[in-house]
């Protein structure tokens, strides 16, 4: 079963960070059909998994992101942008 909402298409990762984040989500959700525009909650994400993503992002990128990211920046693309902006500051 596809995790993409009806009418949406798979968008492959375009950057190394997007590839790493997609891999992370695939590993945590056991859903191998994750593109950069898929929403975290739609692909099997939930609050416990969101906390694991937050911890891995801190470990991998040295960026502390709030747990509410899964509501505010729910896609890999959005999360990648959030991380990049935090790294610049």
């Amino acid at each position: 079963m596809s995790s993409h909402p009806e009418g949406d298409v798979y968008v492959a990762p375009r950057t190394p960070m997007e590839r790493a984040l997609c891999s992370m989500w695939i590993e945590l959700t056991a859903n191998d059909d994750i593109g950069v525009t898929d929403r975290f909650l739609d692909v099997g994400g939930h609050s416990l998994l969101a906390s694991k993503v937050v911890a891995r992002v801190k470990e991998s990128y040295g960026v502390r992101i709030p747990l509410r990211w899964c509501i505010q920046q729910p896609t890999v693309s959005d999360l990648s942008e959030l991380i990049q902006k935090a790294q610049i500051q």
Side-chain angles (χ1 to χ4, degrees), residues 4-83:
H4 312 288
E6 189 173 325
D8 286 355
V9 296
Y10 172 82
V11 178
R14 302 159 291 210
T15 67
M17 184 180 294
E18 287 180 348
R19 280 190 291 281
L21 292 172
C22 277
S23 293
M24 182 188 306
W25 287 22
I26 288 167
E27 178 185 336
L28 291 171
T29 64
N31 179 341
D32 63 354
D33 189 30
I34 296 177
V36 298
T37 60
D38 294 319
R39 298 171 59 87
F40 183 70
L41 299 176
D42 292 342
V43 297
H46 51 73
S47 60
L48 180 60
L49 292 181
S51 66
K52 290 182 178 188
V53 172
V54 167
R56 289 188 183 188
V57 164
K58 174 135 178 44
E59 181 180 310
S60 297
Y61 300 102
V63 172
R64 186 179 298 261
I65 58 172
L67 188 56
R68 66 182 182 271
W69 70 268
C70 65
I71 303 301
Q72 296 174 338
Q73 283 84 23
T75 68
V76 167
S77 179
D78 294 334
L79 182 56
S80 178
E81 287 179 31
L82 177 70
I83 294 168

